[in-house]
């Protein structure tokens, strides 16, 4: 197993949630939060500056560039970056559309910390094959 930490980005327009998720992720062994962003545009600005994470944990509903639009752009421009959408919505049609657009996983915002850690490790290990193992509610 590599000693290189999994590099993460946290994207959510709600500052308190974003800061809390950042703090949670920073406590996981073998993981490093590179940066936070308030929406997809800010995320892509970090990418343009050379800060490209391994996994993006991203809210679905955000201003300017939402999670679905951003996932589409990441699939085209950065196909190696894993995307886990985090949302409070659990409609099967929505979740399936996110999968079809290239998201690697989906977590509800009330997921347990262990589920978040497991989801990150699973998408890193299994890539697009991880979907069925990263759908937590």
């Amino acid at each position: 197993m590599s000693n290189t930490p999994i590099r993460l980005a946290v994207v959510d327009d709600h500052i308190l949630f974003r800061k809390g998720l950042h703090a949670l992720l920073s406590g996981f062994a073998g993981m490093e939060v590179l940066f936070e962003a308030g929406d997809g545009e800010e995320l892509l600005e970090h990418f343009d500056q050379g800060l490209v994470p391994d996994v993006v944990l991203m809210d679905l509903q955000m201003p300017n560039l939402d999670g679905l639009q951003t996932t589409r752009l990441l699939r085209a421009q950065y196909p190696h970056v894993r995307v886990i959408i985090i949302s409070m919505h659990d409609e099967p049609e929505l979740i399936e559309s996110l999968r079809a657009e290239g998201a690697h996983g989906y977590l509800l915002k009330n997921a347990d910390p262990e589920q978040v850690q497991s989801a990150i490790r699973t998408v890193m290990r299994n890539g697009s094959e991880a979907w069925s193992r990263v759908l937590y509610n």
Side-chain angles (χ1 to χ4, degrees):
M1 183 163 186
S2 172
N3 289 333
T4 305
I6 299 170
R7 298 167 304 153
L8 308 168
V10 177
V11 187
D12 196 295
D13 58 320
H14 294 99
I15 295 170
L16 187 60
F17 181 83
R18 186 172 71 228
K19 295 287 183 194
L21 185 56
H22 182 153
L24 174 74
L25 297 171
S26 294
F28 294 154
M31 296 187 193
E32 170 190 11
V33 179
L34 291 181
F35 61 87
E36 300 174 17
D39 61 36
E41 287 181 2
E42 189 178 343
L43 170 74
L44 293 174
E45 288 171 11
H46 286 284
F47 278 53
D48 290 343
Q49 295 168 4
L51 289 174
V52 180
D54 301 309
V55 179
V56 174
L57 291 104
M58 181 166 44
D59 188 20
L60 180 59
Q61 294 180 308
M62 299 179 292
N64 301 323
L65 196 57
D66 69 23
L68 180 59
Q69 295 165 321
T70 305
T71 297
R72 288 178 185 145
L73 290 171
L74 291 176
R75 293 284 46 86
Q77 297 175 20
Y78 300 92
H80 63 283
V81 174
R82 312 293 206 266
V83 176
I84 298 173
I85 297 292
I86 301 177
S87 180
M88 63 182 180
H89 302 286
D90 63 354
E91 297 83 18
E93 300 82 20
L94 170 66
I95 295 169
E96 185 52 40
S97 72
L98 292 166
R99 179 181 182 178
E101 292 294 340
H104 296 89
Y106 186 86
L107 291 165
L108 288 176
K109 285 192 171 182
N110 66 354
D112 293 331
E114 297 79 22
Q115 292 173 322
V116 176
Q117 184 177 27
S118 176
I120 294 165
R121 294 194 187 287
T122 301
V123 299
M124 281 303 295
R125 201 172 37 250
N126 301 318
S128 60
E129 302 301 316
W131 185 267
S132 63
R133 292 178 288 264
V134 183
L135 181 60
Y136 296 114
N137 53 28

